[in-house]
Amino acid sequence: MQPVIDYLKQNESRSIDQLCEYLRFPSVSAQPQHKDDLHACANWVAEHFRHIGLEARVCPTEGHPIVIAKTPRSTVATHSTKRSRPHFLIYGHYDVQPPEPFELWKSPPFEPRIEGRAIFARGACDNKGQNLAHIKAIEAYLKTGTPLPCDITFVIEGEEEVGSHSLSSFLKANREELLCDAIVISDTGMPSPQYPALTYALRGIVSFELTLHGPSRDLHSGIFGGTVDNPAMALCQLLGKLRDKNGRVAVPGFYDDVQPLSAYERKQFARLPFKESDYRKLLGVPKLFGEKGFTPIEQRSARPTLEINGLTSGYQGEGSKTIVPSWARAKITTRLVPDQKPEKIVKLLQKHIKSICPPTVKFELKAGHGAEPYLVSPTGPQAQAALRALKLSFEREPVLMREGGSIPIVNVFKKILGADSLMLGLALPDDNAHSPNEKFNLDCFIKGQLMSAYLWTELSARS
Ligand code: BES
Ligand code: MN
């Protein structure tokens, strides 16, 4: 193990240079104009794998390609021979969220900049920096000739930020090859570098687009205003009815399947570091708001929500334009917790919106991507091994946490491969994932490499 640790130490600055290279690809999966950039980025990842001694391929899909890379296998595993060694998948994504609004970035999103102990770029923490940390750990094993105690297959996809559509069918088609003892994912967060964390639950998600149609064209608001409903106003009134004054989602049946939080879990949450004033400052809000009866940590990770993600209608240019807009649209997502089911939530929302939509406008509700919530017991031997690896690398007692974000593929891994995901996030709360000035802390990057190095030894001893 010592040579692996020494190698990582000696190659710190080189690994940071390589992270910069990785971050220069504008691999924005949601934007069709970046299709070639996603391809180029996938090729760079595959080439990087080959360079450090893995067998890698770029798998085309209907959407963006998936990169598969395997460590050299000591024994050839076929259908008939039982695997002699544990096999783990490392999952990550090379696609990133759109960088807009550009004007809020202190430096261009795809020109990585290092300031202090942070590297700024879109995708820095979500997720390029986090998956590269694992790649560097495996490189250290291979380059120092240290035998790996397990077989490892990397699955690095390009559609995580848009719902991981191609990966599901890819997993089905390549199930045999990908069967494994567990999936390791660093695509979540930790409270601070003093609190390394194992995440044992994620929220699920359903997305919607709600459009209210009014007059067949924008109308003169002086000539016609007062005789027809204003779709923007109708939309605001309708949306206002979706949340009550206690911060609860006001859709009948929405909470029916929500598992109550156990006293034990609530006690654990209360032990996580949290200071309301710091949190408020970090987010720039005058006062926090959330579901009554729950702490902010519970609200953001273990309770369901409904959010408006975007709101569009009428004239948005400079000056004024006196119209009654023809339509108004809201992009909405709900975050789900166990045992809420995305399909059921879609139906409840459709039914409710239909019942409260005024007859003066026509509504159109399109359901988009969805993912089930995820919850796994943190007491098993694999979780214990992960906690040891966190402690060895960060030299702090790790904590257990639930996260509010979603990684749609974890439930699919469970269904198709029958394996649980170990989520060892390296992103900090102020890393600005999905926001302007996204960053990744370089200490988390370096310690994350060490964590991954320890992990394989710890995991393989128990699997
Ligand atoms: N890495 C995040 C998910 C995440 C972030 C989980 C922080 C827990 C804590 C992931 O890349 C992401 O942003 N997922 C999307 C999924 C959606 C587009 C289906 C999300 O949660 O919004
Ligand atoms: Mn993300």
Side-chain angles (χ1 to χ4, degrees):
M1 194 62 187
Q2 197 54 45
V4 170
I5 296 166
D6 294 342
Y7 180 93
L8 290 175
K9 181 101 203 107
Q10 282 151 16
N11 287 277
E12 269 181 30
S13 75
R14 205 169 55 94
S15 77
I16 294 168
D17 291 344
Q18 289 166 339
L19 177 55
C20 288
E21 260 180 63
Y22 195 4
L23 290 170
R24 280 193 195 102
F25 293 94
S27 46
V28 185
S29 50
Q31 299 176 340
Q33 73 267 30
H34 286 297
K35 196 173 183 338
D36 292 347
D37 297 316
L38 278 116
H39 266 266
C41 189
N43 283 325
W44 182 89
V45 174
E47 203 42 57
H48 200 91
F49 277 128
R50 289 182 199 118
H51 193 71
I52 62 183
L54 288 90
E55 187 192 303
R57 61 186 205 270
V58 175
C59 308
T61 71
E62 273 179 21
H64 305 303
I66 297 165
V67 182
I68 298 293
K70 301 185 201 185
T71 53
R73 305 301 197 233
S74 53
T75 52
V76 183
T78 66
H79 304 303
S80 51
T81 59
K82 218 172 158 249
R83 281 183 203 284
S84 51
R85 284 147 56 83
H87 178 214
F88 297 104
L89 297 192
I90 301 177
Y91 166 80
H93 61 96
Y94 68 83
D95 65 319
V96 302
Q97 283 274 326
E100 289 85 349
F102 287 101
E103 64 279 12
L104 293 185
W105 285 79
K106 268 177 69 187
S107 53
F110 299 108
E111 292 171 29
R113 168 179 61 91
I114 294 175
E115 190 186 305
R117 288 303 284 167
I119 182 163
F120 288 82
R122 172 56 88 231
C125 67
D126 187 6
N127 168 255
K128 290 172 175 173
Q130 299 203 56
N131 63 60
L132 191 63
H134 286 285
I135 300 176
K136 292 295 107 184
I138 302 306
E139 170 182 329
Y141 274 93
L142 298 179
K143 292 284 183 192
T144 57
T146 308
L148 266 164
C150 53
D151 291 338
I152 289 172
T153 303
F154 281 90
V155 178
I156 311 288
E157 70 151 319
E159 296 181 0
E160 196 276 346
E161 300 291 4
V162 288
S164 298
H165 293 296
S166 304
L167 185 54
S168 301
S169 39
F170 183 88
L171 292 181
K172 280 180 207 139
N174 296 274
R175 183 174 173 275
E176 285 286 321
E177 178 188 3
L178 300 174
L179 283 175
C180 60
D181 298 277
I183 298 107
V184 169
I185 305 178
S186 290
D187 192 21
T188 50
M190 61 165 116
S192 83
Q194 284 73 45
Y195 287 86
L198 173 69
T199 289
Y200 63 94
L202 296 171
R203 285 194 288 192
I205 188 168
V206 193
S207 69
F208 301 93
E209 215 174 78
L210 171 63
T211 311
L212 295 190
H213 297 277
S216 55
R217 60 203 179 278
D218 291 354
L219 301 176
H220 190 298
S221 62
I223 301 175
F224 299 105
T227 60
V228 291
D229 201 353
N230 182 312
M233 181 62 85
L235 182 64
C236 291
Q237 289 173 327
L238 190 155
L239 293 174
K241 289 186 186 145
L242 297 182
R243 187 176 84 181
D244 72 12
K245 64 176 192 313
N246 291 324
R248 284 172 67 89
V249 180
V251 174
F254 186 79
Y255 290 91
D256 282 1
D257 300 323
V258 172
Q259 269 184 29
L261 289 178
S262 69
Y264 174 78
E265 245 191 321
R266 299 191 82 171
K267 208 167 123 195
Q268 297 307 311
F269 290 147
R271 293 165 70 167
L272 294 172
F274 184 83
K275 217 170 132 203
E276 184 160 331
S277 56
D278 289 350
Y279 190 70
R280 209 177 40 193
K281 244 182 253 153
L282 172 69
L283 305 184
V285 292
K287 191 173 184 330
L288 296 185
F289 175 89
E291 187 185 359
K292 262 211 179 114
F294 296 92
T295 66
I297 287 185
E298 292 167 348
Q299 290 163 350
R300 66 169 281 278
S301 65
R303 295 295 298 169
T305 58
L306 183 148
E307 302 286 352
I308 301 170
N309 308 123
L311 207 46
T312 320
S313 181
Y315 178 67
Q316 321 241 334
E318 245 178 85
S320 71
K321 187 180 183 199
T322 46
I323 53 163
V324 174
S326 164
W327 56 269
R329 180 172 299 140
K331 288 180 187 281
I332 299 170
T333 48
T334 59
R335 295 282 171 174
L336 310 178
V337 300
D339 294 319
Q340 289 176 302
K341 292 271 172 289
E343 315 79 59
K344 186 170 167 191
I345 296 296
V346 171
K347 286 201 188 108
L348 289 176
L349 223 97
Q350 266 162 345
K351 189 171 161 211
H352 185 58
I353 288 180
K354 194 171 171 196
S355 77
I356 61 173
C357 182
T360 48
V361 289
K362 278 183 278 183
F363 89 95
E364 188 191 346
L365 185 65
K366 275 196 243 160
H369 55 76
E372 285 181 23
Y374 185 72
L375 179 73
V376 63
S377 161
T379 56
Q382 290 178 342
Q384 297 306 311
L387 290 171
R388 286 197 300 278
L390 284 170
K391 186 169 179 179
L392 283 165
S393 49
F394 283 86
E395 299 177 89
R396 299 283 171 146
E397 208 50 58
V399 292
L400 292 171
M401 60 188 270
R402 288 171 72 151
E403 276 279 26
S406 312
I407 304 177
I409 206 66
V410 292
N411 282 293
V412 187
F413 280 137
K414 181 76 188 175
K415 267 182 209 142
I416 299 177
L417 306 178
D420 285 319
S421 292
L422 283 169
M423 292 177 282
L424 300 154
L426 303 171
L428 298 177
D430 66 352
D431 273 352
N432 292 324
H434 296 205
S435 298
N437 303 306
E438 178 177 347
K439 67 174 178 68
F440 191 37
N441 183 297
L442 290 173
D443 296 320
C444 293
F445 183 46
I446 301 299
K447 289 201 168 131
Q449 298 178 15
L450 205 55
M451 177 275 288
S452 178
Y454 283 120
L455 184 64
W456 311 116
T457 312
E458 293 299 326
L459 266 179
S460 305
R462 319 275 141 173
S463 287

